[in-house]
Amino acid sequence: MYALCDVNSMYASCEKVFDPSIRKKPVVVLTNNDGCICAACGIAKRMGIGKKFVPYFQVKKELEAAGAVIRSSNYELYADLSQRMMDTCARFAPDINVYSIDECFLYYGKQANAPKEGWGTLGMQIRKAVWREVRLPICVGVGSTPTLAKVANHAAKKVEGFKGVAVLDTKEIRKAVLSKMAVTDVWGIGNRLGRRLNMLGVNTAWELANRDPTQIRKEFSILVENTVRELNGEVRHTWDTVRGAKKEIYSTRSFGQRITDFEELRSALASHAEIVATKLRKQKSLTSSMTLFATSSPHDTEDYFRKSYFHHFAVPTNDTRNILKVIEIAMSQLYKPNVRYYKCGVGLMGLQNEELFQYDLFTPSNDNTKLMTCMDTINARYGRSTVHIAAKGFEQKFAMRRAFLSPQYTTKLRDIPKIIC
């Protein structure tokens, strides 16, 4: 059996944990640079405001009229509360797979019998424990496959009669829930697949479950076939205990405000270079090529400008200094006076396993492994950028705009809540 634990409106719920004054108000959270809406609490959804991915400037007046509380994405807070939630859920199962920042699967074994108190009671215990210890509202769905656990979680949230916990342990309950779900509500069935299935007369999840898996594979793919089989109780999805190394690593981000200065653009690229190089070393890889880009916004009135630069390393590297040398060379092509840059980035490609790479006798590596290890160790212990390359600079005027940022209650000493009594 599988249990899926999913936080309700994760980002908005996290904002309410340490701020009692907004718990009964509609809360809306914005994406990077306060661009679009990425999350809204239940109160905001019931009021019909806070639709996802709508640009903030388009609904600003509407949100103000509704008295909505606006927050910038506080990733440090969300990550810490997510870890606390996962630690709490992990106590209730022998195995756990963290699926995303707000979801985790609990696995109880292939032939797991129902606990003495029953699956429904266990789900309620998990839900109450997370609320008591982390103050995050979650829903729990239990099923015999990961897909059915997802279906059960959907029922726990949106199907009338379930109070935050749903268990699909009989065919009757499974049929009742799947019949009320649109086919696009099924895990892995997006809008495009949904339209194709609708043309075949498949409109509900129950109708999909009753299709012939072999025929579905011929008409669609093995992934859709696996979904059909899972809806019928056959486990087809698994998760890897060890994730494979990434084939490419990128770091890109738009600026909080447009920049035109040569040094600021170089500093931004150096910052991205440091991020990708750290990730590269963490997975013990080397890069054989890299790409850089800098661009203005196509929505600005000025002429649109975008330039990229590609570089191939004679000897694969993971030394930040070697990546920065390429940036110095590329700046003459990437920078153009009077261009209002709004985004830049660095990408590493052609990644190879550091432990298996065979070096050339005539072109030795100039990586300083001990220096990079020392930097990574210090930053891991004392925080990111405790030690960094000088080219990155000290005052980042291009930092992400977060005008509505809440305190980082659990990760910064100055933001720890104070109790006066």
Side-chain angles (χ1 to χ4, degrees):
M1 293 294 281
Y2 296 82
L4 176 64
C5 304
D6 182 15
V7 182
N8 303 336
S9 303
M10 173 70 175
Y11 287 5
S13 295
C14 287
E15 293 292 343
K16 297 187 178 188
V17 172
F18 293 100
D19 192 349
S21 67
I22 66 172
R23 289 178 185 169
K24 295 183 179 180
K25 296 181 180 180
V27 175
V28 172
V29 181
L30 307 178
T31 57
N32 291 348
N33 289 317
D34 297 337
C36 301
I37 294 173
C38 66
C41 71
I43 299 174
K45 291 177 181 177
R46 288 192 292 272
M47 293 175 66
I49 59 176
K51 188 176 180 180
K52 271 191 174 183
F53 308 123
V54 173
Y56 172 59
F57 74 89
Q58 291 184 1
V59 293
K60 182 178 179 180
K61 292 183 178 179
E62 179 185 353
L63 295 173
E64 289 176 351
V69 177
I70 311 301
R71 290 285 185 265
S72 301
S73 292
N74 191 340
Y75 299 116
E76 297 83 357
L77 176 65
Y78 307 154
D80 186 67
L81 290 179
S82 171
Q83 186 60 55
R84 296 187 187 195
M85 174 254 188
M86 303 303 174
D87 291 341
T88 301
C89 291
R91 300 204 310 265
F92 291 89
D95 191 13
I96 181 174
N97 176 57
V98 177
Y99 181 66
S100 66
I101 192 171
D102 63 341
E103 292 178 277
C104 67
F105 283 99
L106 305 181
Y107 180 52
Y108 294 91
K110 295 181 179 179
Q111 304 296 330
N113 296 318
K116 293 181 180 180
E117 65 273 20
W119 291 111
T121 303
L122 176 63
M124 191 58 69
Q125 289 176 354
I126 297 172
R127 193 166 186 254
K128 289 181 177 179
V130 173
W131 176 253
R132 183 176 60 251
E133 299 176 20
V134 194
R135 271 298 185 266
L136 289 177
I138 71 168
C139 286
V140 181
V142 181
S144 57
T145 69
T147 301
L148 284 176
K150 273 274 194 180
V151 169
N153 191 276
H154 173 88
K157 285 184 176 182
K158 299 184 178 181
V159 177
E160 188 176 351
F162 296 101
K163 298 181 179 180
V165 176
V167 181
L168 305 186
D169 54 355
T170 66
K171 184 177 180 179
E172 291 73 20
I173 297 177
R174 180 165 59 88
K175 179 180 178 180
V177 172
L178 292 176
S179 298
K180 296 179 181 178
M181 289 178 60
V183 69
T184 50
D185 289 331
V186 177
W187 188 27
I189 305 297
N191 291 331
R192 183 178 297 178
L193 276 176
R195 286 192 292 269
R196 290 179 60 191
L197 287 166
N198 293 158
M199 293 174 64
L200 297 175
V202 179
N203 298 299
T204 67
W206 178 247
E207 290 172 341
L208 178 62
N210 284 287
R211 300 289 293 197
D212 178 13
T214 305
Q215 187 63 32
I216 284 291
R217 180 173 181 173
K218 291 179 181 178
E219 297 177 357
F220 294 90
S221 67
I222 189 174
L223 298 177
V224 183
E225 177 199 1
N226 289 341
T227 298
V228 174
R229 293 186 182 279
E230 287 232 339
L231 289 174
N232 288 282
E234 182 182 345
V235 178
R236 305 285 287 198
H237 293 310
T238 59
W239 55 75
D240 298 326
T241 55
V242 180
R243 294 185 178 182
K246 293 181 179 180
K247 302 299 182 182
E248 296 180 347
I249 298 177
Y250 279 81
S251 178
T252 67
R253 179 166 290 172
S254 55
F255 305 125
Q257 57 187 8
R258 303 291 191 266
I259 65 172
T260 58
D261 185 71
F262 178 92
E263 295 296 335
E264 288 185 4
L265 179 61
R266 182 173 62 177
S267 178
L269 287 168
S271 179
H272 288 304
E274 191 173 70
I275 292 172
V276 294
T278 301
K279 292 181 178 180
L280 186 67
R281 292 191 294 271
K282 187 175 182 180
Q283 71 172 35
K284 296 183 179 180
S285 296
L286 302 169
T287 180
S288 59
S289 57
M290 68 178 288
T291 182
L292 309 168
F293 78 89
T295 177
S296 63
S297 173
H299 303 292
D300 287 347
T301 56
E302 294 84 358
D303 292 337
Y304 177 61
F305 175 83
R306 178 185 175 89
K307 192 71 176 180
S308 60
Y309 182 90
F310 180 83
H311 178 82
H312 179 77
F313 292 100
V315 180
T317 180
N318 61 16
D319 193 314
T320 306
R321 299 171 306 156
N322 292 332
I323 297 174
L324 290 174
K325 289 177 182 178
V326 177
I327 293 176
E328 291 296 328
I329 298 172
M331 280 302 297
S332 60
Q333 297 186 33
L334 297 179
Y335 178 75
K336 182 179 179 181
N338 301 321
V339 171
R340 299 175 71 246
Y341 292 93
Y342 103 105
K343 190 175 184 179
C344 71
V346 176
L348 303 181
M349 300 165 290
L351 307 190
Q352 305 176 48
N353 190 312
E354 181 182 22
E355 298 175 345
L356 301 179
F357 180 74
Q358 181 66 53
Y359 287 95
D360 190 329
L361 178 64
F362 301 102
T363 51
S365 171
N366 62 349
D367 287 5
N368 191 330
T369 305
K370 292 183 178 180
L371 176 61
M372 295 298 107
T373 301
C374 179
M375 285 181 60
D376 293 340
T377 302
I378 293 173
N379 290 330
R381 181 172 181 179
Y382 296 104
R384 182 187 294 180
S385 295
T386 300
V387 176
H388 61 83
I389 302 297
K392 179 180 175 180
F394 296 93
E395 294 184 8
Q396 297 186 2
K397 298 179 182 179
F398 50 83
M400 180 172 57
R401 183 174 66 251
R402 292 195 283 183
F404 309 102
L405 184 65
S406 57
Q408 295 168 13
Y409 297 103
T410 62
T411 56
K412 281 190 177 181
L413 286 174
R414 68 169 181 266
D415 290 340
I416 292 178
K418 299 179 178 63
I419 300 176
I420 300 175
C421 56

